[in-house]
Amino acid sequence: MTMLFSFLTFSLLFLPFSISSSPNYIFPENHFINCGSDSPIVRNRRGGSTTFSGDLNFNPHHSDSVKDLTTTPESAGIYQTARKFTKSGSYNLPIDENGVYMVRLHFFPFVSLFDAKFSVSASGFLLLSNFSIPRNLTTSPVIKEFLVPVLKGRNLEIIFRPDSSFAFVNAIEAFVTPQGFIPNSNDTTHVTSSKNDLSSSVLNVIHRINVGGSNITDETDTMRRKWVADDDYLLIKRLAMNHSIYSDEPKYDQVGGATQYDAPDLVYKTAKEMNSSHVETQSNITWRFDVKRNATFFVRLHFCDIVSVQRNGTVFNAYIYGMFGKPISPYDRFEQFAVPFYVDFVVDSDGSGFMNISVGPRNDSKSINAFLNGVEIMELINDRVEWSGEKKNNVWIIVGSVVGGVVLISVSVVVILCCLKQRNAQPVENSSWWPRMSVNAGSSEDRTTVRTPIGSTTPDMNLGLKISFAEILHATNKFDPKFMIGEGGFGKVYKGTLHNGVKVAVKRSEAGHGQGLMEFQTEIMLLSKIRHQHLVSLIGYCDERYEMILVYEFMAKGTLREHLYSSNEDLGKSSSRSELSWDQRLQICIGAANGLQYLHAGLREPIIHRDIKSTNILLDEHYVAKVADFGLSKSGQPEETHIVTDVKGSFGYLDPEYLKSMQLTQKSDVYSFGVVLLEVLCARPAVDNLLPRNQMNLAEWGLSWLKENQIEKIIDPFLVGKINPNSLRKFGETAEKCLQENGTDRPNMMDVLWDLNYARQLQHPTMPQQSHEDTNSDVSWQMALTGINRLPSINVSTSCVSVADSEAFSELKIDETR
Ligand SMILES: *[C@@H]1O[C@H](CO)[C@@H](O)[C@H](O)[C@H]1NC(C)=O
Ligand SMILES: *[C@@H]1O[C@H](CO)[C@@H](O)[C@H](O)[C@H]1NC(C)=O
Ligand SMILES: *[C@@H]1O[C@H](CO)[C@@H](O)[C@H](O)[C@H]1NC(C)=O
Ligand SMILES: *[C@@H]1O[C@H](CO)[C@@H](O)[C@H](O)[C@H]1NC(C)=O
Ligand SMILES: *[C@@H]1O[C@H](CO)[C@@H](O)[C@H](O)[C@H]1NC(C)=O
Ligand SMILES: *[C@@H]1O[C@H](CO)[C@@H](O)[C@H](O)[C@H]1NC(C)=O
Ligand SMILES: *[C@@H]1O[C@H](CO)[C@@H](O)[C@H](O)[C@H]1NC(C)=O
Ligand SMILES: *[C@@H]1O[C@H](CO)[C@@H](O)[C@H](O)[C@H]1NC(C)=O
Ligand SMILES: *[C@@H]1O[C@H](CO)[C@@H](O)[C@H](O)[C@H]1NC(C)=O
Ligand SMILES: *[C@@H]1O[C@H](CO)[C@@H](O)[C@H](O)[C@H]1NC(C)=O
Ligand SMILES: *[C@@H]1O[C@H](CO)[C@@H](O)[C@H](O)[C@H]1NC(C)=O
């Protein structure tokens, strides 16, 4: 016994009759999230129903909505859709009450979600790490439940972080539990172990057992819990028997007793008791539960005396690991029959991997019996992590492109047309488009097969862009952490310098995961074929030794977003926010529109970017805008595309028509670009959950003011009084047209570009004027058409990007401090 005690540390948290849950508790309406969906799903629970709303209002970064097309919402419910994170992303849930929150995560992978491996944290506690679901266990949902203490004034941030491949979640429940649901102070308890301060731990629910009855589903529980029948856990089955089910209601809400939220009546109306017909009547009933070795557990035993036939009839002992004979004497306190209550313990597990829980008779009881109604076993988690949910990922790029910042209005149109024309004339793959690189290009053997981490070949990759791993190691000083400029689920991004002196951003992905590989290939195939002064250039890639590395030009000024407003993700980093003037903003918009217009109309095979947002527009040292991140892009003729199976993109920017029809068109990019225009004008995020509901979504909020012709009321305070009203009106009109509900009502990028240039002209009346008064939007359409019909005679060949870029590489000037 002594040995046993020295091996086990026990602590008894004895709260049998003192604290109980608040009877005033009303089951909350928030937060129940049907992830990856825009439509609500209603689910029953005992005492009401609960609505899982779509997650459009949240703005998890680096995530996509995915849908199982083999099921319907009727058959699969909340499991038909999911949110998939390719990099760290989070749900930031506002809360309005201090307390312990029940956080329940639902995982039910369908085909495109197999092989996920990830970690999850909530409020800084590590909930799951290296979590994956083996394929042979994917026939039913996996539900993980935690009790998380959260302080009012701090959001409940649930962060999903891919460990190698990606993360996903089908549904999230996060709601406050009644006061006192989990004891949070020692006042009335005996605590003998220092490490079990419940108020600063998360509890991870391991077992929840309905003793003496059958399984209880979420639909019949008061808090949507599941309870599992106990029979499989009984050590010696013949020693116990089911007591017949109690036909009345348990007497809830007695002082010191349990409430219906502590456990539903189905738990308290059933119990196991000693098998009276068994000869060895004097024996304990023992259940054995598998638990982690060497961890601390919170154990709650539920009792309700539906067994005794006489007043103060039954007194018995409860044991954990055969110790602690805790006397259970229901009548002592309540003096009536069928009052539910519970007893809590905190106990360290032993090294066996099991926990024994027993009830057994006492010789001083009037009737020799013992019973149990329910068991909950939860593991204490104290692992803290400091992840930032929304990592900067796009900081990396960069360039030292010296290409000029100011593109004259007429010329910019001309450049596009020029390139467009050239494109038609000569295949884009023309190798002369490539800057000469002094890096080790792939040898001819490399051209035959390129092994990838998962053993497939990477077809059609542009092998002239291959860079050796040795070169990469040299460039990044062996991935020196000091050179790291960004990190995300896909991997880490380093600043580096190639042998030829070119500054680059090196994006290194974790090896061996499906999604990453696809994006890797997409990005190489697309980017290797295009080159434009307003698109971030791919300089090379490396796939040696299981590596997936992309090398881009280095973008010294980071993302557009950083220059518009600081966000949570910027906290702790010195904010790089600089006040961009209206003219600078117009030029940036014009640059990005140029890049996008080129993707849409300048290539033989048009490209739909699919993820236009302010973090994917990067700025070089001269604030020249370039569109980045082509991992989601789709290429091909419009007619041969694009009924898509997975909704991809970023919330706040997603085209509502695309969400409805699943039909992908270039007009979806136009919509997203419209949101970026509002972001630039108003200097606030596309989705801001901290704002009142009508203001959360920038597109909706902005449109409502545009319709009133009062957009000036919500613009960036820094711009107030600095924008020419005509310029503002034109800019606003342009954004409004981009945000039209129907794609066909939206302009194409050429029109947008034209309008933005016009808005810039209106800001500078001294610049060469177009002859049109700024009257109605139709003008821009006509002008765009005229532009196309009348090809310019100006010789702009030197502005053509290929030339400019290749020259740029030889004379790079990089901002070292970035
Ligand atoms: C996840 O697993 C990998 C190997 O399986 C291991 O190297 C890594 O340390 C684990 N990470 C965590 C957080 O447990
Ligand atoms: C699932 O597969 C793993 C290994 O692939 C195996 O260890 C485990 O027993 C399997 N589980 C079931 C329920 O088949
Ligand atoms: C709980 O008890 C332990 C041990 O007596 C003590 O160290 C700790 O401060 C107490 N916590 C609270 C919240 O009272
Ligand atoms: C107890 O009741 C449950 C539910 O009715 C049943 O599944 C189980 O077999 C019963 N156990 C015993 C020992 O009778
Ligand atoms: C009860 O739930 C457990 C665990 O989910 C499951 O294995 C068992 O088959 C269920 N029993 C019944 C009768 O549905
Ligand atoms: C109770 O004990 C008797 C005698 O050992 C046995 O026959 C019977 O099956 C037991 N009842 C249960 C529910 O196990
Ligand atoms: C249990 O954990 C403690 C500290 O966490 C450690 O010192 C001890 O070695 C572990 N024991 C076993 C059996 O793993
Ligand atoms: C659990 O109970 C079984 C049966 O009584 C016993 O063999 C085992 O040693 C017990 N384990 C502990 C840790 O008490
Ligand atoms: C029940 O278990 C406890 C702890 O192992 C033991 O001390 C007691 O004697 C047992 N009672 C019976 C009736 O077996
Ligand atoms: C109930 O029985 C216990 C044990 O026999 C005794 O200590 C207690 O005083 C009794 N309570 C009442 C109300 O009779
Ligand atoms: C009850 O058990 C205790 C300890 O096991 C013993 O000291 C006491 O004499 C017993 N009382 C009766 C009435 O058997």
Side-chain angles (χ1 to χ4, degrees), residues 311-312 315 329 331-332 335 364-365:
R311 199 175 157 76
N312 201 8
V315 181
S329 178
Y331 274 73
D332 261 2
E335 302 193 343
D364 57 355
S365 178

Side-chain angles (χ1 to χ4, degrees), residues 452-458 490 509 512-522 548:
T452 71
I454 59 167
S456 66
T457 57
T458 47
F490 180 79
S509 90
H513 50 91
Q515 182 62 32
L517 181 66
M518 254 186 58
E519 291 184 355
F520 180 69
Q521 292 177 353
T522 305
M548 286 191 282

Side-chain angles (χ1 to χ4, degrees), residues 40 251 451 577 623:
K251 301 186 182 76
R451 283 268 141 207
R577 175 169 186 192
Y623 293 96

Side-chain angles (χ1 to χ4, degrees), residues 189-350:
T189 63
H190 306 283
V191 176
T192 57
S193 164
S194 57
K195 59 176 177 176
N196 56 26
D197 185 7
L198 288 172
S199 61
S200 60
S201 301
V202 160
L203 299 177
N204 174 12
V205 178
I206 309 292
H207 293 287
R208 184 174 278 139
I209 307 293
N210 177 23
V211 180
S214 44
N215 287 356
I216 297 174
T217 66
D218 48 1
E219 305 222 326
T220 47
D221 181 73
T222 45
M223 297 235 259
R224 294 190 31 81
R225 290 162 295 209
K226 288 180 195 291
W227 301 74
V228 175
D230 70 299
D231 290 84
D232 291 344
Y233 300 94
L234 268 176
L235 206 54
I236 303 170
K237 291 195 164 46
R238 72 190 141 77
L239 297 181
M241 63 184 196
N242 287 340
H243 189 77
S244 53
I245 194 164
Y246 183 60
S247 52
D248 280 341
E249 281 303 301
K251 301 186 182 76
Y252 279 118
D253 300 325
Q254 303 297 308
V255 175
T259 74
Q260 55 169 331
Y261 292 109
D262 293 317
D265 57 355
L266 286 172
V267 167
Y268 290 123
K269 283 158 85 167
T270 60
K272 279 232 164 42
E273 60 179 335
M274 289 165 56
N275 180 354
S276 49
S277 55
H278 198 267
V279 280
E280 321 159 36
T281 43
Q282 299 283 319
S283 50
N284 295 330
I285 311 171
T286 300
W287 291 262
R288 196 165 80 152
F289 301 98
D290 47 316
V291 295
K292 223 190 240 175
R293 295 159 208 259
N294 207 13
T296 303
F297 294 88
F298 175 78
V299 178
R300 174 167 288 180
L301 302 183
H302 293 271
F303 300 98
C304 179
D305 190 355
I306 54 172
V307 169
S308 300
V309 288
Q310 51 177 315
R311 199 175 157 76
N312 201 8
T314 312
V315 181
F316 59 96
N317 286 342
Y319 308 89
I320 297 184
Y321 282 122
M323 318 251 252
F324 260 143
K326 166 78 201 126
I328 306 296
S329 178
Y331 274 73
D332 261 2
R333 187 66 178 227
F334 300 114
E335 302 193 343
Q336 46 179 328
F337 196 59
V339 177
F341 64 98
Y342 54 81
V343 179
D344 293 336
F345 301 82
V346 173
V347 57
D348 291 349
S349 63
D350 65 9

